[in-house]
Amino acid sequence: MIVQIKNIVPILQAKWLANHSETTIETISIDSRSLQNGSNTLFFALVGPNNDGHDYISALIEEGVQNFVVTYIPQNLENKSNFFVVEDTLKSLQLFAAYYRNLYHFPIIGVTGSNGKTIVKEWLNFLLSPDFNIIRSPKSYNSQVGVPLSVLAINEKHNFGIFEAGISTRNEMEKLEKIIQPTIGILTNIGSAHDEGFSNIGEKIKEKLKLFKNVSVLIYNKNKTIDSFLNPTINTFSWSCTDHHADVFIVTKSILDKTILKIKIQNNNFEIKIPFRDDASIENAIHCMMVMLYLEYDYKTIETRMELLFPVEMRLKLKNGINNTTLIDDSYSSDFQSLKIALDFLESQKQHKKKTLILSDIFQSGLSNEDLYSGVSQLIISNKINRVIGIGETISKYKSKFSNCTTFANTEEFIANLNVLNLNNETILIKGARTFHFEKIVSALEEKTHETVLEINLNAISHNLNFYKAKLKPETKIMVMVKAFGYGNGGFEIAKLLEHHKVSYLGVAFADEGISLKTAGIHLPIMVLNPENTSFEAIIHHHLEPEIYSLKGLKTFLKVAEQKKLYHFPIHIKFDTGMHRLGFEEENIEELISVLKENKSVTVKSILSHMATSDDIKHRDFAISQIDLFDKFSSKLMNELQIKPIRHILNTSGISNFPEAQYDMVRLGIGLYGVSNDVEEQKYLENVGTLKSIISQIRTIDAGESVGYGRRFIAEKTTKIATIPIGYADGISRLWGNGLGFVTINDQKATIVGSICMDMLMVDVSEIICKEGDQVIIFGESPTVTFMAEQLQTIPYEILTSVSQRVKRVFYRE
C-alpha cells in the first residue's frame, strides 16, 4: 500500500491538521505495542471500553510515527504530527478499507456462519492457490476491526480474495459487507455461537445474510430455515445430503478414517474422497468443493486436490523447547500478513532476550520476490530479531537481505545440521508453509514430556480480562491474581500477557512466586499477599511489594528497611473487616498510625481488605458491612497520615455484585480463568484451560471381567476399555472415578470405570468409534471444571490448582 497522505482526507471524512504534508502511507496500525510502527504508518486511535488509543500517541511520536487518525488531539501535541480529526476512528478505519477495496476488481469470496469460517477459508486457499494469487484474512481476522485490516493488505498482484466476516450482534454485517464487497458468498454452519447477541435464530440468519446482498452467487447447505429468509433475487448454488431439490446432491460413506462423497450435479455423477469422518469437516469440505464446481474446475482436479485436505491449525502455540528455549509454533502457514501477526505475538510472549526466526519460503504474497523479501527484512529489523534461519530455495537466494542469517535448502537439511546451530536460551518463532513440514522441526526442538497437556487459550484470557474491565469505571485500576502458578494455568506466560495488556498490578501469595516472575523478566509491580517475615530481604532485593497485615510484621519489615536505608519503599496495609484470616483489626489502628507516622522508610502504596461473601447473595448484608468497615478504617488511616493510597476490596465476584465499591482498584482472580459463581455471567466467559491426553491402549473384556485396583468395576457385558495416561499424580481426584466422572472422546462422553490410578485411568468406549492415539478431553468445554467441582462437592479453584507441574502447559493464540 502506498497512499499520499493528502489524498485520504475526504476518504476519512476528516479535518486535517498537517505537519508533514508530503508523507506517504505504507502501513496501517491500531496497536501501539507493535514494533512494526514507523514513519509511514497511519495509526488509528481506536477507543474501546477500557483502552483508548489516544493515550499512546505521545509515545508513538517519540518512536517516529507521524500520522494519526483521532477524535481529538491530545494536549500539547497539536503541531507535532499529522492529525486527521474524525467523529469515530473505527468508522473511519472502515471507510478507508471500503475505499481501498474499491480500487480492486477481482473475485472475492465472503464467508460467514457460526462455525467453520476459518477452516473453509484456509482450505479454499489451499485448493485454489495453484491457479490464483490469493489474499485472505490472516488467522481469524473477521471482526469489525479485523476485516478492514485484512482488506487493507490487498496489493496489485492479487487476483482473488477470501475474507471471513464474523458478527456477534445486530447491525454489524452491513458495515462488513461494504468493506468486503464479496462476489461469491459462502454461508457455513449456523450454530449457537453468539446467540446472546440476537433475540432468536431467525434474527441471526437475517443478519448474516446481509453479507450476500450483492453477490453473484451464494453457496449454502439447502434447508427450509435458510430458504425462508433468502432474498429471492439472490442467485444460489445449493447442496444437500437430504434434499434432492438442491443443485448438488451428496451421499456420504465412511471408510476407515476417510469419507467418500458421491456427488450428483445435473446429469453428472462423480466421487471424491476426503481424509475426515466428522460431520463438521465433511460440511466444510463440501462448501469448498462447491466453490470449485462453481468455478468450473474439472472433476479430476477436484478429486485430486480434495483428497489432500489437511487439519487446519488455527493457533499460535507457545511450547517449552530443548536447551532452555521457548518455541512459538506457527508451523502450518507462511504468508506476509500472518508473519506480521506472529512477530507481534513473539514480542508479547518473548521469554528470552534473544529472538530467533525460523522461516520458510513465503508463498502468495502478491509481490515480486525482491519486494517481498525486502519487506520481510524490514519486518525482522523492526522486530529486533537476533537471528534468522531460512529454509527453502527462494529465501536462500535472498539471504543477503538478512543479517546473521543461515539458510538451508529444505527441512531435512536443517534437522541434519541442528547440533551445530547452538540453539539455547532464546525464543524461537517457527513459521513455515505446510509443504515444508515444519512440524518436524517443532518435534525436534520441543522438550519431551508426557503426552498429557494443559492447553491455555491466551485469547480467552484476553476476552475474560476485557469482560471484567468493561464493568469498571475508566479510572479503576486492576490487579490480576497469578498466585498458585496462575491458578494452575501457568505463571510467567500469563503474567507476560497481562503485562502486554497493561494491567496495574499482579498479585501472588508468596515471595518465591513473585521472585520467579521478576527473574523471568516481568516488570509490572507485584504484590505479595502472604509474605513471611523471613522473606522480607528477598522481597526488597527483587523489588516486590509486601502486604503488611500485623504489627509484628510491620515492625519486622521496618527494621529490615532501616538497615537497608530504604526510602519510601512501597507496602500495602491490609485490614480485617470480617474474613478473620489476616489483617489489622480496629483495636490496632491507633498503634498502626503511630508506627507509620513520620516514617520515611516506607510508603503506604495501597490499603486493602478481603470480602468473605461477595459471591453469595444470602450474605449481602454482611458483605455491605465489610465494605462499610473498610471505608471507615481506610479513611481514618488516610486522614491521620495525610496520604492518598490506592484502595481495593473487591475480588472477582465483588466486581459484578458490588460495583459501588470499586474504590481505586479491584482484584481479578478466578474470573480471568473463565470461571464465575454466577450462572448468567458464566455464559459470557470463555474457557481458558483444556486438559488433554490420548488413548494409550484399547482392549475388549468379557462379562465378569474387572478393571483396575480392587475390581471396583466388573463388566456386565462385553465391554471396550480405553486406558488414558493421566491419574491422581497429575491432579485428577480419585473420587472422580468409579462411574462418577467422564472424559470426552470424539465429542462423546466416555465414563470412567474402576479406580483412578496414580498415572492412568480407564474409560468405557464401547459405543464410541475411536482408536489408540485419539485425543481425550479430561476437562475444558465438557466436562467443565465447574461441573466437576459440583460433582466432587468442591470448588473449581481446587480442580484447576491440582493439575500437576509434570503436566506440560501449551499456550496458544487463535
Side-chain angles (χ1 to χ4, degrees):
M1 172 192 295
I2 298 179
V3 180
Q4 292 293 325
I5 194 167
K6 58 188 176 185
N7 294 337
I8 66 176
V9 178
I11 302 165
L12 299 176
Q13 299 178 4
K15 177 183 177 183
W16 186 31
L17 300 172
N19 191 30
H20 311 285
S21 59
E22 297 305 314
T23 302
T24 58
I25 299 301
E26 297 180 8
T27 60
I28 302 297
S29 177
I30 61 167
D31 188 351
S32 64
R33 300 162 297 195
S34 175
L35 296 180
Q36 297 158 32
N37 294 320
S39 59
N40 297 110
T41 297
L42 178 62
F43 182 83
F44 283 80
L46 301 185
V47 180
N50 296 286
N51 273 306
D52 187 342
H54 297 80
D55 296 340
Y56 310 109
I57 290 176
S58 179
L60 285 166
I61 290 174
E62 291 182 11
E63 293 173 11
V65 181
Q66 299 178 358
N67 312 292
F68 300 91
V69 180
V70 298
T71 55
Y72 66 91
I73 301 175
Q75 194 172 1
N76 302 321
L77 298 180
E78 287 83 356
N79 299 311
K80 294 192 175 180
S81 278
N82 294 325
F83 289 101
F84 299 86
V85 183
V86 299
E87 290 185 6
D88 183 331
T89 50
L90 174 57
K91 179 182 177 183
S92 292
L93 174 64
Q94 294 170 339
L95 286 171
F96 187 55
Y99 155 79
Y100 191 75
R101 163 67 180 92
N102 274 320
L103 300 178
Y104 299 91
H105 305 285
F106 50 74
I108 284 187
I109 297 176
V111 187
T112 194
S114 301
N115 307 298
K117 296 185 292 294
T118 301
I119 293 172
V120 168
K121 176 198 69 185
E122 293 299 317
W123 281 351
L124 281 172
N125 177 68
F126 167 76
L127 294 166
L128 304 181
S129 59
D131 313 301
F132 298 97
N133 198 342
I134 297 173
I135 175 72
R136 69 191 192 280
S137 311
K139 298 296 178 181
S140 297
Y141 270 38
N142 59 29
S143 66
Q144 298 291 307
V145 175
V147 167
L149 292 178
S150 301
V151 167
L152 287 166
I154 298 174
N155 66 50
E156 64 277 2
K157 299 294 179 64
H158 293 125
N159 58 13
F160 204 101
I162 310 170
F163 297 106
E164 296 180 49
I167 56 170
S168 56
T169 189
R170 297 173 291 277
N171 303 318
E172 289 185 337
M173 189 60 85
E174 192 169 3
K175 299 171 187 174
L176 300 185
E177 192 278 335
K178 291 177 180 177
I179 299 168
I180 298 173
Q181 300 173 39
T183 57
I184 300 171
I186 300 176
L187 181 65
T188 65
N189 179 273
I190 299 292
S192 60
H194 301 297
D195 271 357
E196 65 277 4
F198 304 92
S199 58
N200 54 58
I201 187 68
E203 187 174 61
K204 181 198 283 191
I205 292 171
K206 283 194 288 186
E207 182 69 22
K208 289 186 178 293
L209 289 175
K210 289 178 182 178
L211 179 64
F212 309 124
K213 66 179 183 179
N214 294 309
V215 295
S216 300
V217 66
L218 168 62
I219 293 168
Y220 76 111
N221 182 358
K222 186 175 181 61
N223 69 73
K224 292 179 180 178
T225 304
I226 302 295
D227 288 346
S228 65
F229 292 104
L230 275 177
N231 186 326
T233 63
I234 293 179
N235 182 38
T236 61
F237 187 39
S238 64
W239 65 271
S240 179
C241 295
T242 58
D243 189 342
H244 288 271
H245 292 98
D247 297 303
V248 179
F249 186 75
I250 301 168
V251 176
T252 65
K253 179 182 178 182
S254 296
I255 299 179
L256 298 177
D257 58 348
K258 295 180 172 60
T259 301
I260 305 294
L261 302 181
K262 296 182 178 182
I263 317 296
K264 181 179 181 181
I265 174 171
Q266 296 175 342
N267 295 320
N268 298 315
N269 295 278
F270 69 102
E271 289 187 2
I272 64 173
K273 186 185 299 179
I274 58 173
F276 305 100
R277 288 180 48 139
D278 63 287
D279 291 342
S281 295
I282 293 170
E283 184 169 351
N284 293 332
I286 292 172
H287 280 122
C288 295
M289 179 202 68
M290 292 289 289
V291 172
M292 297 185 79
L293 286 172
Y294 177 74
L295 294 175
E296 298 183 346
Y297 277 79
D298 64 85
Y299 299 155
K300 185 61 180 176
T301 300
I302 296 174
E303 178 186 353
T304 302
R305 294 185 187 177
M306 291 290 290
E307 191 169 3
L308 298 176
L309 290 179
F310 48 85
V312 174
E313 181 57 73
M314 295 183 289
R315 309 180 298 187
L316 287 159
K317 289 185 178 178
L318 191 65
K319 302 176 177 180
N320 292 327
I322 59 175
N323 305 327
N324 193 35
T325 58
T326 301
L327 312 179
I328 296 176
D329 179 3
D330 194 10
S331 56
Y332 293 95
S333 69
S334 182
D335 59 82
F336 192 67
Q337 284 305 110
S338 65
L339 176 60
K340 289 182 177 181
I341 296 169
L343 287 170
D344 277 341
F345 183 67
L346 167 61
E347 180 60 24
S348 72
Q349 281 293 324
K350 65 179 180 184
Q351 299 188 19
H352 306 275
K353 289 183 179 179
K354 187 176 178 182
K355 297 186 289 186
T356 294
L357 170 63
I358 300 176
L359 181 67
S360 78
D361 289 348
I362 295 177
F363 302 131
Q364 303 164 323
S365 70
L367 303 170
S368 68
N369 284 334
E370 179 69 30
D371 290 341
L372 169 63
Y373 288 101
S374 294
V376 172
S377 175
Q378 288 302 310
L379 278 182
I380 288 168
I381 292 168
S382 64
N383 280 272
K384 302 175 183 176
I385 301 300
N386 303 97
R387 170 162 60 161
V388 177
I389 299 173
I391 298 178
E393 293 181 2
T394 306
I395 197 171
S396 296
K397 293 177 183 176
Y398 293 89
K399 176 180 177 180
S400 61
K401 291 189 177 292
F402 310 105
S403 61
N404 194 19
C405 179
T406 305
T407 59
F408 300 95
N410 51 54
T411 300
E412 288 68 27
E413 185 182 339
F414 166 85
I415 292 174
N417 289 274
L418 187 57
N419 291 337
V420 300
L421 288 172
N422 194 29
L423 295 166
N424 61 76
N425 299 304
E426 54 199 292
T427 303
I428 305 169
L429 171 59
I430 302 167
K431 184 156 186 62
R434 185 172 181 82
T435 53
F436 284 86
H437 298 289
F438 269 21
E439 66 272 14
K440 295 177 182 178
I441 295 177
V442 175
S443 178
L445 294 179
E446 189 174 3
E447 185 179 60
K448 302 303 181 283
T449 54
H450 129 74
E451 291 166 310
T452 297
V453 299
L454 179 61
E455 291 190 348
I456 312 299
N457 184 341
L458 296 176
N459 291 81
I461 288 180
S462 298
H463 168 88
N464 296 337
L465 174 66
N466 288 328
F467 172 78
Y468 285 102
K469 273 186 173 182
K471 294 175 175 284
L472 304 177
K473 300 170 187 173
E475 65 271 17
T476 302
K477 302 178 188 295
I478 189 165
M479 172 192 286
V480 178
M481 310 308 296
V482 292
K483 61 183 180 178
F485 194 52
Y487 289 69
N489 292 286
F492 172 78
E493 294 83 0
I494 291 174
K496 188 70 179 174
L497 177 65
L498 295 170
E499 190 166 62
H500 191 65
H501 280 293
K502 301 184 179 180
V503 302
S504 299
Y505 261 91
L506 299 178
V508 297
F510 299 104
D512 58 344
E513 296 175 312
I515 291 169
S516 175
L517 293 176
K518 286 291 186 182
T519 303
I522 295 299
H523 301 292
L524 281 174
I526 299 175
M527 185 189 302
V528 182
L529 280 82
N530 304 328
E532 296 157 320
N533 291 356
T534 55
S535 68
F536 285 154
E537 290 202 18
I539 284 173
I540 292 167
H541 177 73
H542 290 279
H543 305 289
L544 303 173
E545 301 179 18
E547 174 190 288
I548 302 296
Y549 51 80
S550 70
L551 287 167
K552 179 183 177 183
L554 176 59
K555 291 174 180 177
T556 302
F557 189 83
L558 287 175
K559 184 177 179 181
V560 176
E562 288 163 5
Q563 290 171 352
K564 293 185 174 295
K565 298 181 170 53
L566 298 182
Y567 182 72
H568 285 180
F569 192 91
I571 64 171
H572 303 265
I573 298 297
K574 183 172 189 176
F575 284 118
D576 179 5
T577 58
M579 175 72 91
H580 295 330
R581 198 168 61 175
L582 295 173
F584 290 94
E585 297 179 277
E586 186 168 16
E587 62 196 50
N588 309 131
I589 294 180
E590 292 298 338
E591 188 173 357
L592 171 63
I593 292 168
S594 176
V595 173
L596 288 174
K597 228 168 197 176
E598 308 303 328
N599 190 297
K600 301 296 183 184
S601 297
V602 298
T603 186
V604 178
K605 189 68 178 288
S606 85
I607 304 173
L608 67 147
S609 188
H610 196 72
M611 298 178 72
T613 61
S614 62
D615 61 336
D616 192 342
I617 196 166
K618 295 196 303 288
H619 296 288
R620 182 173 180 83
D621 289 344
F622 181 80
I624 291 173
S625 73
Q626 280 197 271
I627 294 168
D628 291 342
L629 271 181
F630 175 67
D631 198 82
K632 175 184 175 183
F633 294 169
S634 59
S635 295
K636 182 174 178 63
L637 188 67
M638 291 165 63
N639 291 334
E640 292 288 342
L641 298 180
Q642 291 296 293
I643 57 174
K644 290 187 176 180
I646 299 167
R647 291 195 288 177
H648 49 112
I649 188 173
L650 298 184
N651 57 5
T652 297
S653 297
I655 292 171
S656 299
N657 296 333
F658 298 93
E660 71 279 6
Q662 287 180 21
Y663 289 99
D664 307 295
M665 185 163 73
V666 297
R667 301 188 300 272
L668 178 60
I670 193 72
L672 182 78
Y673 306 99
V675 178
S676 172
N677 291 304
D678 183 274
V679 175
E680 286 303 310
E681 185 170 274
Q682 184 66 54
K683 296 176 183 177
Y684 295 94
L685 298 179
E686 293 185 358
N687 179 66
V688 168
T690 300
L691 184 58
K692 294 181 175 181
S693 193
I694 64 164
I695 297 176
S696 294
Q697 192 174 38
I698 297 175
R699 61 172 43 76
T700 299
I701 63 173
D702 294 327
E705 292 190 282
S706 61
V707 174
Y709 288 118
R711 303 197 74 202
R712 290 186 174 87
F713 173 80
I714 298 177
E716 296 179 354
K717 59 182 180 180
T718 300
T719 306
K720 189 165 63 170
I721 300 294
T723 300
I724 319 298
I726 184 172
Y728 58 76
D730 301 291
I732 307 303
S733 171
R734 290 186 78 245
L735 298 174
W736 190 233
N738 296 311
L740 175 65
F742 69 91
V743 300
T744 300
I745 300 173
N746 295 333
D747 296 322
Q748 296 182 69
K749 291 182 179 180
T751 302
I752 300 172
V753 296
S755 297
I756 290 176
C757 310
M758 180 180 286
D759 309 299
M760 287 173 268
L761 58 82
M762 289 70 72
V763 298
D764 182 349
V765 293
S766 301
E767 304 301 322
I768 300 174
I769 297 173
C770 59
K771 61 184 184 300
E772 292 174 1
D774 277 2
Q775 179 179 274
V776 178
I777 305 296
I778 311 301
F779 67 65
E781 295 288 352
S782 178
T784 65
V785 292
T786 302
F787 175 81
M788 290 177 70
E790 289 170 353
Q791 298 301 304
L792 293 169
Q793 298 182 28
T794 183
I795 56 176
Y797 298 72
E798 184 175 353
I799 306 294
L800 290 172
T801 57
S802 294
V803 179
S804 167
Q805 296 286 326
R806 78 175 185 175
V807 173
K808 179 174 65 174
R809 271 69 173 172
V810 174
F811 298 83
Y812 69 90
R813 178 177 289 174
E814 299 285 359

